[in-house]
């Protein structure tokens, strides 16, 4: 392969790595915002939260750390569990990590 092709491959890999990293951080922040509500979500919520945190920050992963897809799967699953527990307990109340609607500008 030519040097230009290797550069293109490197750029594509870097872009994919950046996108997955940003996605993982976004999911992690959503899960982290649920931290204050763990007591009311019960043991299942605490387990989901702490498993996601430990798996994300431990250096041992299923895939090497530049590839955050496994971390995104664990954190995303924790977010689903926490969201279901929240909805079961609070119904239609806004989720703690949901964006608040901004006031209409005049």
């Amino acid at each position: 392969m030519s040097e230009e092709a290797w550069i293109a491959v490197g750029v594509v890999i870097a872009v994919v790595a950046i996108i997955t990293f940003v996605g993982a951080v976004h999911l992690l922040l959503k899960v982290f915002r649920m931290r204050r509500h763990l007591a009311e979500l019960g043991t299942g919520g605490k387990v989901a939260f702490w498993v996601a945190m430990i798996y994300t920050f431990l250096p041992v992963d299923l895939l090497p750390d530049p590839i955050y897809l496994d971390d995104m799967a664990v954190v995303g699953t924790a977010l689903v569990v926490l969201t279901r527990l929240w909805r079961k307990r609070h119904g239609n109340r806004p989720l703690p990590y949901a964006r608040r609607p901004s006031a209409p500008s005049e």
Side-chain angles (χ1 to χ4, degrees):
M1 246 169 35
S2 68
E3 186 176 337
E4 291 83 16
W6 281 113
I7 291 173
V9 168
V11 168
V12 168
I13 289 172
V15 168
V16 169
I18 290 169
I19 289 170
T20 57
F21 178 75
V22 169
V25 168
H26 180 72
L27 288 174
L28 196 59
L29 288 174
K30 284 186 170 190
V31 169
F32 199 70
R33 287 183 191 130
M34 294 289 283
R35 176 181 37 90
R36 285 180 269 162
H37 305 282
L38 290 179
E40 62 190 81
L41 296 180
T43 305
K46 291 176 187 174
V47 168
F49 175 82
W50 287 110
V51 165
M53 292 298 124
I54 289 169
Y55 185 83
T56 301
F57 292 110
L58 276 181
V60 179
D61 277 349
L62 292 176
L63 297 172
D65 258 347
I67 304 169
Y68 293 104
L69 295 176
D70 60 329
D71 296 297
M72 288 176 72
V74 170
V75 174
T77 302
L79 186 61
V80 168
V81 169
L82 291 170
T83 300
R84 285 183 181 169
L85 289 171
W86 177 268
R87 293 235 164 98
K88 185 177 176 183
R89 183 141 177 105
H90 297 288
N92 288 333
R93 229 171 88 192
L95 293 162
Y97 59 80
R99 292 182 186 212
R100 306 286 189 256
S102 60
S105 58
E106 294 181 35

